[in-house]
Amino acid sequence: MSNLIILPVVFPFLIGAILVIFYKHTKLQRVLSGIGVLALIAISAYLAHIAFYEGTVTLAAGNWEAPYGIILVLDNLAALMLLITSILSAACLFFAYGTISKEREKFFFYPFYFFLLIGVNGSFLTGDIFNLFVFFEVMLLSSYVLIVNGSSKYQLRESFKYVIINVFASALFVVAIAWLYSVTGTLNMAHLSERIAEAGQTGTLTVIGIMLLIVFATKGALFPLYFWLPKSYFGPPAAIAALFGGLLTKVGIYAIIRTFTLIFYHEPEFTHKGVIVTIAGFTMLLGVLGAVSQFDFKRILSYHIISQVGYMVMGLGIFTPLAVAGAIFYIVHHMFVKTALFLLSGATQKVTGTTDIKQMGGMLKSHPLLAWFFFISAVSLAGIPPLSGFFSKFPIILSGFEEGQYVISAVALLVGLLTLFSMIKIFSYVFWGKNKLTEEQSKISVNKLLLPVAPLVALSVILGFGAEYVFQYSLVIAEQIMEPSNYIDAVLKE
């Protein structure tokens, strides 16, 4: 059974390698990639079932047991992230079929799409912090190719910033890993947790933890290291921007949650309730102010990525089971809704030829399904009941007030209000008011493009109405990861 854990890493590699061979055959690549992402959903769903009913499962590569060998670990949190990743990758891929030009397709779009998933899935599964670095680099190298795919002048200029900031973050990651190994003598996460618990989290270890926080904050677009994101995510096509916006920043957030619940959790008054909560507050506020100031569809959504990841780390910073469960619920909600919104911006651009909302108007009459899909996703992002945004934010903010974190809780409420304002601004400019479309634009149908978006919008509604069950699942995950002995016992088999 444990051998199945490797499938989310090996399967995308095999599909990507096959697609490289047939890079000149676009139709065949579409068929193979479509089958591949659907198979990944099935694999991930089965692994989530195993993790929930059979507990944490580990795989020691080459039969080298922990802490010496390469260990893959499947617990409920990793399984959940794998499942969401597979769903999002399928939605973005099928959307790409109708929006990616043939010029972009022939430059290895499909192979690198799957190579990206190797890095993402490996980051969720690895039980070794050095291999977390390795999988991060696989993910980033693939993202560099995808983000410049098409090679427009704007893409190349803004993607350069994305590459440079991630290169510096990766260099800092290596330094932090080397220092951590010199202090503890191990890089296995479970073994690290055990040794730091035995020795105590000294000042040196806390500094290493903050270094890792800086690395992951860069990749997760947290304050003050988010400046690269809005323009970088504006350049690529909607399908790629949606995949990046819904998925890549969450890998950084996942790494923060894993690291600061398993390894560096002994000084929560400083690391969690001090540093992480402060970063979360500034991230939320500055991100949403950036969104409010914009009049471009994709740029508003890009700034909202920044503001919304603040809620996720806020839940971790408060560091109670209720708050962490809320953060996990919020990650699930945000990944679905943000991906849907980026795809809907792409569908809108397909009709209007622009992302400048001032040049749009009246699309509710000509494209009502597109308009209402956007409206549902927008109010969910803003946290309006009974959709998923409300029920995922509520436990985080409630925990903030219960733990005396009044300032950041007030900021979270204000950010929700400003998020609603910016979403209504998009709706009023793009879908309401006087119709600014030409007769030809009004006749352009995007119903086929909305097919892969429909499940994401539906999931936001389902998560809202089924919030009690989703939150119970999130609470199970939160309680599991906040008790490190669960992970340590599974990996080190104590």
Side-chain angles (χ1 to χ4, degrees):
M1 187 68 71
S2 63
N3 290 332
L4 296 176
I5 301 175
I6 197 71
L7 283 178
V9 176
V10 171
F11 188 75
F13 172 78
L14 293 175
I15 295 294
I18 293 170
L19 291 172
V20 169
I21 298 171
F22 296 105
Y23 76 98
K24 292 184 178 180
H25 304 277
T26 302
K27 290 184 178 179
L28 180 59
Q29 285 194 93
R30 288 187 174 195
V31 172
L32 291 175
S33 59
I35 294 170
V37 291
L38 293 176
L40 272 177
I41 293 176
I43 292 168
S44 301
Y46 184 62
L47 291 177
H49 173 84
I50 291 173
F52 186 76
Y53 287 102
E54 299 187 20
T56 303
V57 183
T58 64
L59 172 64
N63 287 328
W64 284 82
E65 296 295 337
Y68 307 107
I70 296 174
I71 306 298
L72 298 181
V73 185
L74 179 76
D75 63 358
N76 280 312
L77 178 59
L80 175 64
M81 297 302 290
L82 289 173
L83 180 58
I84 301 171
T85 297
S86 64
I87 295 171
L88 296 189
S89 62
C92 294
L93 182 71
F94 292 136
F95 187 88
Y97 289 168
T99 54
I100 294 288
S101 66
K102 290 183 179 179
E103 287 298 312
R104 295 180 191 270
E105 281 183 312
K106 71 180 183 181
F107 287 109
F108 298 94
F109 170 75
Y110 296 109
F112 278 97
Y113 195 94
F114 280 88
F115 293 152
L116 179 80
L117 297 180
I118 298 171
V120 172
N121 292 343
S123 298
F124 296 146
L125 286 171
T126 184
D128 181 284
I129 202 160
F130 180 77
N131 285 308
L132 178 62
F133 164 76
V134 172
F135 282 119
F136 261 55
E137 292 309 296
V138 172
M139 175 184 75
L140 289 171
L141 287 171
S142 302
S143 72
Y144 299 156
V145 176
L146 291 175
I147 204 168
V148 300
N149 187 281
S151 301
S152 69
K153 184 178 179 180
Y154 182 91
Q155 271 183 280
L156 293 174
R157 184 179 72 245
E158 296 305 327
S159 298
F160 181 73
K161 300 173 187 176
Y162 173 79
V163 173
I164 293 299
I165 190 67
N166 278 292
V167 167
F168 278 107
S170 297
L172 183 61
F173 200 173
V174 173
V175 172
I177 288 171
W179 195 2
L180 184 61
Y181 183 76
S182 71
V183 174
T184 62
T186 185
L187 291 176
N188 180 275
M189 292 183 185
H191 204 209
L192 279 169
S193 180
E194 192 175 57
R195 288 201 168 179
I196 292 173
E198 291 171 353
Q201 187 173 318
T202 62
T204 299
L205 286 167
T206 300
V207 170
I208 296 171
I210 296 301
M211 287 178 66
L212 290 172
L213 177 62
I214 292 170
V215 171
F216 301 143
T218 303
K219 299 178 189 300
L222 297 176
F223 171 85
L225 301 165
Y226 59 77
F227 60 88
W228 56 268
L229 187 146
K231 291 186 177 181
S232 296
Y233 282 18
F234 175 78
I240 297 174
L243 186 70
F244 285 15
L247 184 57
L248 291 199
T249 52
K250 311 314 174 296
V251 181
I253 301 304
Y254 168 87
I256 293 174
I257 292 174
R258 181 67 78 188
T259 304
F260 285 88
T261 55
L262 178 62
I263 303 172
F264 302 104
Y265 63 91
H266 302 281
E267 297 290 341
E269 292 301 321
F270 175 72
T271 55
H272 295 68
K273 300 178 188 296
V275 176
I276 292 177
V277 162
T278 302
I279 289 173
F282 280 108
T283 301
M284 284 191 289
L285 185 59
L286 296 177
V288 80
L289 290 177
V292 168
S293 68
Q294 298 295 316
F295 284 88
D296 184 278
F297 205 145
K298 286 176 71 175
R299 284 204 173 105
I300 292 172
L301 296 180
S302 296
Y303 274 103
H304 273 309
I305 296 172
I306 298 166
S307 69
Q308 302 299 309
V309 295
Y311 284 100
M312 303 167 199
V313 291
M314 175 185 169
L316 174 65
I318 295 170
F319 207 55
T320 64
L322 180 65
V324 174
I328 293 166
F329 192 171
Y330 197 84
I331 290 172
V332 176
H333 143 78
H334 186 263
M335 291 177 77
F336 287 133
V337 170
K338 180 57 67 177
T339 303
L341 285 168
F342 265 106
L343 295 180
L344 291 169
S345 75
T348 305
Q349 187 178 5
K350 184 84 171 179
V351 175
T352 63
T354 181
T355 55
D356 185 349
I357 63 175
K358 290 183 178 180
Q359 297 181 30
M360 306 182 202
M363 289 186 68
L364 180 61
K365 293 181 180 178
S366 59
H367 298 82
L369 190 59
L370 173 62
W372 291 119
F373 272 16
F374 172 81
F375 183 79
I376 293 169
S377 302
V379 296
S380 179
L381 186 74
I384 303 300
L387 300 172
S388 58
F390 173 80
F391 292 107
S392 55
K393 284 181 183 177
F394 181 74
I396 300 173
I397 297 173
L398 177 63
S399 299
F401 282 114
E402 288 179 347
E403 294 297 309
Q405 296 279 3
Y406 301 116
V407 174
I408 193 170
S409 299
V411 168
L413 292 172
L414 175 63
V415 169
L417 183 63
L418 292 176
T419 301
L420 179 62
F421 170 78
S422 61
M423 290 293 102
I424 293 300
K425 179 172 73 173
I426 294 176
F427 189 81
S428 61
Y429 271 94
V430 177
F431 300 104
W432 205 253
K434 183 180 178 181
N435 190 351
K436 295 183 180 180
L437 300 180
T438 65
E439 187 174 341
E440 290 182 359
Q441 289 174 330
S442 298
K443 294 178 180 178
I444 296 174
S445 175
V446 291
N447 289 339
K448 288 184 178 180
L449 294 181
L450 297 181
L451 287 176
V453 185
L456 304 181
V457 178
L459 280 166
S460 178
V461 177
I462 293 168
L463 290 173
F465 283 95
E468 179 181 356
Y469 303 103
V470 179
F471 183 75
Q472 287 175 354
Y473 181 47
S474 300
L475 192 59
V476 168
I477 297 174
E479 290 172 346
Q480 184 183 59
I481 65 175
M482 291 186 72
E483 180 48 62
S485 62
N486 295 323
Y487 191 98
I488 294 169
D489 291 345
V491 174
L492 300 180
K493 305 190 186 304
E494 296 181 349

